[in-house]
């Protein structure tokens, strides 16, 4: 069911993406997969940020979105929050958005991987795909240089 609230401002969504992108770069610096995420309120207040740490922590469940979600702490209501991620969320992370009724998802790119964001949109989650060239290039370069690690991460 679609919300009656106004759409998320695209300029605000783009500024939120900068936090997720910085997290992705940090993950790459640490030797991990360059995907970053952040959870914000709709007005742009940062609640938590994180990055894919599957390699660093030897834990397959630490995707960027789950890392950001965990770092944001508990809330009673997630409907007014925005999950911002550098890459279209996989089914695992799309399930997290659905489970907790996160109201919006901002996606840096869906070129290198098209996850579950169409499904989320069908369920009434506001979805904004920014097609950000920096996000696309960061992951494309990683996939080219480390295809075995990318395929492990994405379950291929």
């Amino acid at each position: 069911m679609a919300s009656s609230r106004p759409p998320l401002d695209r300029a605000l969504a783009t500024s939120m993406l900068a936090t997720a992108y910085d997290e992705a770069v940090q993950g790459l610096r640490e030797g991990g997969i360059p995907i970053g995420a952040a959870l914000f309120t709709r007005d742009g207040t940062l609640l938590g940020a994180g990055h894919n740490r599957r390699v660093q922590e030897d834990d397959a469940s630490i995707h960027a979105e789950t890392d950001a979600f965990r770092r944001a702490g508990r809330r009673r209501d997630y409907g007014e929050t925005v999950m911002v991620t550098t890459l279209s969320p996989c089914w695992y992370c799309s399930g997290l958005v659905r489970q907790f009724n996160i109201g919006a998802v901002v996606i840096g790119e869906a070129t290198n991987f098209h996850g579950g964001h169409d499904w989320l949109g069908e369920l009434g989650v506001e979805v904004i795909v920014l097609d950000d060239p920096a996000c696309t290039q960061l992951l494309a370069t990683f996939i080219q240089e480390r295809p075995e690690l990318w395929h492990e991460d994405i379950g291929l």
Side-chain angles (χ1 to χ4, degrees), residues 81-105:
T81 63
V82 180
M83 179 62 76
V84 181
T85 179
T86 57
L87 182 66
S88 176
C90 69
W91 286 106
Y92 170 58
C93 296
S94 294
L96 177 133
V97 169
R98 176 67 176 127
Q99 174 69 32
F100 291 95
N101 297 310
I102 293 172
V105 176

PDB file of all heavy atoms in Angstrom, residues 81-105:
ATOM      1  N   THR A  81      11.796   5.868   7.910  1.00  0.00           N
ATOM      2  CA  THR A  81      13.234   5.787   7.664  1.00  0.00           C
ATOM      3  C   THR A  81      13.500   5.498   6.194  1.00  0.00           C
ATOM      4  O   THR A  81      12.622   5.048   5.444  1.00  0.00           O
ATOM      5  CB  THR A  81      13.912   4.712   8.537  1.00  0.00           C
ATOM      6  OG1 THR A  81      13.392   3.428   8.205  1.00  0.00           O
ATOM      7  CG2 THR A  81      13.725   5.012  10.020  1.00  0.00           C
ATOM      8  N   VAL A  82      14.744   5.763   5.805  1.00  0.00           N
ATOM      9  CA  VAL A  82      15.194   5.586   4.429  1.00  0.00           C
ATOM     10  C   VAL A  82      16.475   4.762   4.453  1.00  0.00           C
ATOM     11  O   VAL A  82      17.459   5.164   5.079  1.00  0.00           O
ATOM     12  CB  VAL A  82      15.482   6.953   3.756  1.00  0.00           C
ATOM     13  CG1 VAL A  82      15.963   6.760   2.318  1.00  0.00           C
ATOM     14  CG2 VAL A  82      14.262   7.862   3.827  1.00  0.00           C
ATOM     15  N   MET A  83      16.460   3.621   3.783  1.00  0.00           N
ATOM     16  CA  MET A  83      17.675   2.823   3.620  1.00  0.00           C
ATOM     17  C   MET A  83      18.345   3.291   2.333  1.00  0.00           C
ATOM     18  O   MET A  83      17.735   3.258   1.260  1.00  0.00           O
ATOM     19  CB  MET A  83      17.353   1.334   3.525  1.00  0.00           C
ATOM     20  CG  MET A  83      18.574   0.446   3.329  1.00  0.00           C
ATOM     21  SD  MET A  83      19.787   0.506   4.675  1.00  0.00           S
ATOM     22  CE  MET A  83      18.941  -0.501   5.907  1.00  0.00           C
ATOM     23  N   VAL A  84      19.568   3.745   2.457  1.00  0.00           N
ATOM     24  CA  VAL A  84      20.334   4.220   1.311  1.00  0.00           C
ATOM     25  C   VAL A  84      21.461   3.228   1.077  1.00  0.00           C
ATOM     26  O   VAL A  84      22.195   2.890   2.006  1.00  0.00           O
ATOM     27  CB  VAL A  84      20.902   5.634   1.575  1.00  0.00           C
ATOM     28  CG1 VAL A  84      21.671   6.139   0.365  1.00  0.00           C
ATOM     29  CG2 VAL A  84      19.784   6.592   1.960  1.00  0.00           C
ATOM     30  N   THR A  85      21.588   2.761  -0.150  1.00  0.00           N
ATOM     31  CA  THR A  85      22.586   1.748  -0.457  1.00  0.00           C
ATOM     32  C   THR A  85      23.222   2.026  -1.811  1.00  0.00           C
ATOM     33  O   THR A  85      22.563   2.543  -2.714  1.00  0.00           O
ATOM     34  CB  THR A  85      21.966   0.331  -0.399  1.00  0.00           C
ATOM     35  OG1 THR A  85      22.958  -0.644  -0.736  1.00  0.00           O
ATOM     36  CG2 THR A  85      20.765   0.199  -1.307  1.00  0.00           C
ATOM     37  N   THR A  86      24.492   1.715  -1.928  1.00  0.00           N
ATOM     38  CA  THR A  86      25.183   1.980  -3.188  1.00  0.00           C
ATOM     39  C   THR A  86      24.757   1.029  -4.293  1.00  0.00           C
ATOM     40  O   THR A  86      24.967   1.326  -5.465  1.00  0.00           O
ATOM     41  CB  THR A  86      26.715   1.894  -3.007  1.00  0.00           C
ATOM     42  OG1 THR A  86      27.065   0.605  -2.501  1.00  0.00           O
ATOM     43  CG2 THR A  86      27.219   2.991  -2.076  1.00  0.00           C
ATOM     44  N   LEU A  87      24.142  -0.097  -3.943  1.00  0.00           N
ATOM     45  CA  LEU A  87      23.764  -1.120  -4.919  1.00  0.00           C
ATOM     46  C   LEU A  87      22.361  -1.623  -4.625  1.00  0.00           C
ATOM     47  O   LEU A  87      21.962  -1.733  -3.459  1.00  0.00           O
ATOM     48  CB  LEU A  87      24.755  -2.294  -4.836  1.00  0.00           C
ATOM     49  CG  LEU A  87      24.556  -3.448  -5.809  1.00  0.00           C
ATOM     50  CD1 LEU A  87      24.796  -2.993  -7.252  1.00  0.00           C
ATOM     51  CD2 LEU A  87      25.474  -4.610  -5.461  1.00  0.00           C
ATOM     52  N   SER A  88      21.639  -1.974  -5.662  1.00  0.00           N
ATOM     53  CA  SER A  88      20.302  -2.558  -5.487  1.00  0.00           C
ATOM     54  C   SER A  88      20.372  -3.674  -4.450  1.00  0.00           C
ATOM     55  O   SER A  88      21.232  -4.552  -4.538  1.00  0.00           O
ATOM     56  CB  SER A  88      19.813  -3.115  -6.830  1.00  0.00           C
ATOM     57  OG  SER A  88      18.566  -3.760  -6.680  1.00  0.00           O
ATOM     58  N   PRO A  89      19.490  -3.649  -3.459  1.00  0.00           N
ATOM     59  CA  PRO A  89      19.585  -4.638  -2.382  1.00  0.00           C
ATOM     60  C   PRO A  89      19.258  -6.056  -2.856  1.00  0.00           C
ATOM     61  O   PRO A  89      18.307  -6.268  -3.611  1.00  0.00           O
ATOM     62  CB  PRO A  89      18.567  -4.148  -1.352  1.00  0.00           C
ATOM     63  CG  PRO A  89      17.610  -3.313  -2.115  1.00  0.00           C
ATOM     64  CD  PRO A  89      18.385  -2.709  -3.253  1.00  0.00           C
ATOM     65  N   CYS A  90      20.063  -7.007  -2.405  1.00  0.00           N
ATOM     66  CA  CYS A  90      19.812  -8.416  -2.699  1.00  0.00           C
ATOM     67  C   CYS A  90      18.505  -8.833  -2.009  1.00  0.00           C
ATOM     68  O   CYS A  90      17.889  -8.052  -1.282  1.00  0.00           O
ATOM     69  CB  CYS A  90      20.983  -9.262  -2.213  1.00  0.00           C
ATOM     70  SG  CYS A  90      21.119  -9.341  -0.407  1.00  0.00           S
ATOM     71  N   TRP A  91      18.103 -10.069  -2.206  1.00  0.00           N
ATOM     72  CA  TRP A  91      16.855 -10.538  -1.597  1.00  0.00           C
ATOM     73  C   TRP A  91      16.940 -10.554  -0.079  1.00  0.00           C
ATOM     74  O   TRP A  91      15.955 -10.264   0.609  1.00  0.00           O
ATOM     75  CB  TRP A  91      16.477 -11.916  -2.149  1.00  0.00           C
ATOM     76  CG  TRP A  91      15.970 -11.787  -3.547  1.00  0.00           C
ATOM     77  CD1 TRP A  91      16.616 -12.124  -4.699  1.00  0.00           C
ATOM     78  CD2 TRP A  91      14.718 -11.213  -3.944  1.00  0.00           C
ATOM     79  NE1 TRP A  91      15.852 -11.801  -5.782  1.00  0.00           N
ATOM     80  CE2 TRP A  91      14.671 -11.249  -5.346  1.00  0.00           C
ATOM     81  CE3 TRP A  91      13.637 -10.672  -3.256  1.00  0.00           C
ATOM     82  CZ2 TRP A  91      13.582 -10.765  -6.073  1.00  0.00           C
ATOM     83  CZ3 TRP A  91      12.549 -10.197  -3.977  1.00  0.00           C
ATOM     84  CH2 TRP A  91      12.537 -10.248  -5.369  1.00  0.00           C
ATOM     85  N   TYR A  92      18.088 -10.872   0.451  1.00  0.00           N
ATOM     86  CA  TYR A  92      18.286 -10.873   1.897  1.00  0.00           C
ATOM     87  C   TYR A  92      18.044  -9.472   2.468  1.00  0.00           C
ATOM     88  O   TYR A  92      17.294  -9.282   3.429  1.00  0.00           O
ATOM     89  CB  TYR A  92      19.712 -11.372   2.175  1.00  0.00           C
ATOM     90  CG  TYR A  92      20.247 -11.246   3.575  1.00  0.00           C
ATOM     91  CD1 TYR A  92      19.611 -11.839   4.661  1.00  0.00           C
ATOM     92  CD2 TYR A  92      21.432 -10.570   3.803  1.00  0.00           C
ATOM     93  CE1 TYR A  92      20.147 -11.745   5.940  1.00  0.00           C
ATOM     94  CE2 TYR A  92      21.973 -10.472   5.070  1.00  0.00           C
ATOM     95  CZ  TYR A  92      21.317 -11.060   6.139  1.00  0.00           C
ATOM     96  OH  TYR A  92      21.852 -10.960   7.397  1.00  0.00           O
ATOM     97  N   CYS A  93      18.657  -8.477   1.851  1.00  0.00           N
ATOM     98  CA  CYS A  93      18.523  -7.101   2.335  1.00  0.00           C
ATOM     99  C   CYS A  93      17.160  -6.504   1.985  1.00  0.00           C
ATOM    100  O   CYS A  93      16.614  -5.708   2.745  1.00  0.00           O
ATOM    101  CB  CYS A  93      19.660  -6.258   1.795  1.00  0.00           C
ATOM    102  SG  CYS A  93      21.270  -6.835   2.435  1.00  0.00           S
ATOM    103  N   SER A  94      16.598  -6.926   0.864  1.00  0.00           N
ATOM    104  CA  SER A  94      15.225  -6.509   0.531  1.00  0.00           C
ATOM    105  C   SER A  94      14.259  -7.051   1.573  1.00  0.00           C
ATOM    106  O   SER A  94      13.307  -6.374   1.971  1.00  0.00           O
ATOM    107  CB  SER A  94      14.836  -6.996  -0.866  1.00  0.00           C
ATOM    108  OG  SER A  94      15.621  -6.371  -1.852  1.00  0.00           O
ATOM    109  N   GLY A  95      14.519  -8.258   2.037  1.00  0.00           N
ATOM    110  CA  GLY A  95      13.695  -8.847   3.097  1.00  0.00           C
ATOM    111  C   GLY A  95      13.788  -8.064   4.388  1.00  0.00           C
ATOM    112  O   GLY A  95      12.793  -7.899   5.095  1.00  0.00           O
ATOM    113  N   LEU A  96      14.964  -7.540   4.699  1.00  0.00           N
ATOM    114  CA  LEU A  96      15.130  -6.712   5.892  1.00  0.00           C
ATOM    115  C   LEU A  96      14.270  -5.455   5.778  1.00  0.00           C
ATOM    116  O   LEU A  96      13.566  -5.088   6.722  1.00  0.00           O
ATOM    117  CB  LEU A  96      16.605  -6.336   6.058  1.00  0.00           C
ATOM    118  CG  LEU A  96      16.917  -5.419   7.231  1.00  0.00           C
ATOM    119  CD1 LEU A  96      18.117  -5.949   7.993  1.00  0.00           C
ATOM    120  CD2 LEU A  96      17.181  -4.025   6.760  1.00  0.00           C
ATOM    121  N   VAL A  97      14.295  -4.819   4.607  1.00  0.00           N
ATOM    122  CA  VAL A  97      13.482  -3.619   4.384  1.00  0.00           C
ATOM    123  C   VAL A  97      12.009  -3.958   4.570  1.00  0.00           C
ATOM    124  O   VAL A  97      11.269  -3.233   5.233  1.00  0.00           O
ATOM    125  CB  VAL A  97      13.747  -3.031   2.980  1.00  0.00           C
ATOM    126  CG1 VAL A  97      12.721  -1.957   2.623  1.00  0.00           C
ATOM    127  CG2 VAL A  97      15.171  -2.484   2.890  1.00  0.00           C
ATOM    128  N   ARG A  98      11.579  -5.071   4.028  1.00  0.00           N
ATOM    129  CA  ARG A  98      10.182  -5.484   4.121  1.00  0.00           C
ATOM    130  C   ARG A  98       9.807  -5.871   5.559  1.00  0.00           C
ATOM    131  O   ARG A  98       8.758  -5.479   6.059  1.00  0.00           O
ATOM    132  CB  ARG A  98       9.929  -6.669   3.178  1.00  0.00           C
ATOM    133  CG  ARG A  98       8.552  -7.249   3.261  1.00  0.00           C
ATOM    134  CD  ARG A  98       7.523  -6.255   2.749  1.00  0.00           C
ATOM    135  NE  ARG A  98       6.219  -6.864   2.759  1.00  0.00           N
ATOM    136  CZ  ARG A  98       5.154  -6.324   3.340  1.00  0.00           C
ATOM    137  NH1 ARG A  98       5.239  -5.169   3.947  1.00  0.00           N
ATOM    138  NH2 ARG A  98       4.002  -6.942   3.303  1.00  0.00           N
ATOM    139  N   GLN A  99      10.657  -6.641   6.201  1.00  0.00           N
ATOM    140  CA  GLN A  99      10.377  -7.119   7.559  1.00  0.00           C
ATOM    141  C   GLN A  99      10.122  -5.966   8.522  1.00  0.00           C
ATOM    142  O   GLN A  99       9.234  -6.035   9.358  1.00  0.00           O
ATOM    143  CB  GLN A  99      11.544  -7.973   8.070  1.00  0.00           C
ATOM    144  CG  GLN A  99      11.428  -8.403   9.522  1.00  0.00           C
ATOM    145  CD  GLN A  99      10.322  -9.405   9.758  1.00  0.00           C
ATOM    146  OE1 GLN A  99      10.008 -10.214   8.905  1.00  0.00           O
ATOM    147  NE2 GLN A  99       9.709  -9.344  10.934  1.00  0.00           N
ATOM    148  N   PHE A 100      10.905  -4.900   8.384  1.00  0.00           N
ATOM    149  CA  PHE A 100      10.810  -3.793   9.325  1.00  0.00           C
ATOM    150  C   PHE A 100      10.043  -2.598   8.766  1.00  0.00           C
ATOM    151  O   PHE A 100      10.001  -1.542   9.377  1.00  0.00           O
ATOM    152  CB  PHE A 100      12.205  -3.394   9.816  1.00  0.00           C
ATOM    153  CG  PHE A 100      12.792  -4.453  10.694  1.00  0.00           C
ATOM    154  CD1 PHE A 100      13.631  -5.422  10.169  1.00  0.00           C
ATOM    155  CD2 PHE A 100      12.456  -4.518  12.038  1.00  0.00           C
ATOM    156  CE1 PHE A 100      14.147  -6.431  10.970  1.00  0.00           C
ATOM    157  CE2 PHE A 100      12.967  -5.526  12.848  1.00  0.00           C
ATOM    158  CZ  PHE A 100      13.811  -6.488  12.311  1.00  0.00           C
ATOM    159  N   ASN A 101       9.439  -2.779   7.592  1.00  0.00           N
ATOM    160  CA  ASN A 101       8.598  -1.740   6.978  1.00  0.00           C
ATOM    161  C   ASN A 101       9.321  -0.414   6.793  1.00  0.00           C
ATOM    162  O   ASN A 101       8.749   0.658   7.026  1.00  0.00           O
ATOM    163  CB  ASN A 101       7.312  -1.550   7.787  1.00  0.00           C
ATOM    164  CG  ASN A 101       6.471  -2.803   7.787  1.00  0.00           C
ATOM    165  OD1 ASN A 101       6.214  -3.380   6.741  1.00  0.00           O
ATOM    166  ND2 ASN A 101       6.065  -3.235   8.963  1.00  0.00           N
ATOM    167  N   ILE A 102      10.577  -0.493   6.379  1.00  0.00           N
ATOM    168  CA  ILE A 102      11.327   0.713   6.054  1.00  0.00           C
ATOM    169  C   ILE A 102      10.600   1.387   4.891  1.00  0.00           C
ATOM    170  O   ILE A 102      10.250   0.739   3.910  1.00  0.00           O
ATOM    171  CB  ILE A 102      12.799   0.372   5.733  1.00  0.00           C
ATOM    172  CG1 ILE A 102      13.482  -0.129   7.022  1.00  0.00           C
ATOM    173  CG2 ILE A 102      13.525   1.555   5.126  1.00  0.00           C
ATOM    174  CD1 ILE A 102      14.868  -0.692   6.836  1.00  0.00           C
ATOM    175  N   GLY A 103      10.375   2.688   5.008  1.00  0.00           N
ATOM    176  CA  GLY A 103       9.491   3.376   4.078  1.00  0.00           C
ATOM    177  C   GLY A 103      10.058   3.706   2.717  1.00  0.00           C
ATOM    178  O   GLY A 103       9.306   3.870   1.751  1.00  0.00           O
ATOM    179  N   ALA A 104      11.373   3.848   2.613  1.00  0.00           N
ATOM    180  CA  ALA A 104      11.972   4.231   1.339  1.00  0.00           C
ATOM    181  C   ALA A 104      13.353   3.604   1.201  1.00  0.00           C
ATOM    182  O   ALA A 104      14.039   3.353   2.203  1.00  0.00           O
ATOM    183  CB  ALA A 104      12.075   5.750   1.233  1.00  0.00           C
ATOM    184  N   VAL A 105      13.739   3.375  -0.043  1.00  0.00           N
ATOM    185  CA  VAL A 105      15.068   2.865  -0.358  1.00  0.00           C
ATOM    186  C   VAL A 105      15.645   3.735  -1.469  1.00  0.00           C
ATOM    187  O   VAL A 105      15.002   3.943  -2.494  1.00  0.00           O
ATOM    188  CB  VAL A 105      15.027   1.386  -0.820  1.00  0.00           C
ATOM    189  CG1 VAL A 105      16.408   0.906  -1.229  1.00  0.00           C
ATOM    190  CG2 VAL A 105      14.455   0.495   0.259  1.00  0.00           C
TER     191      VAL A 105
END
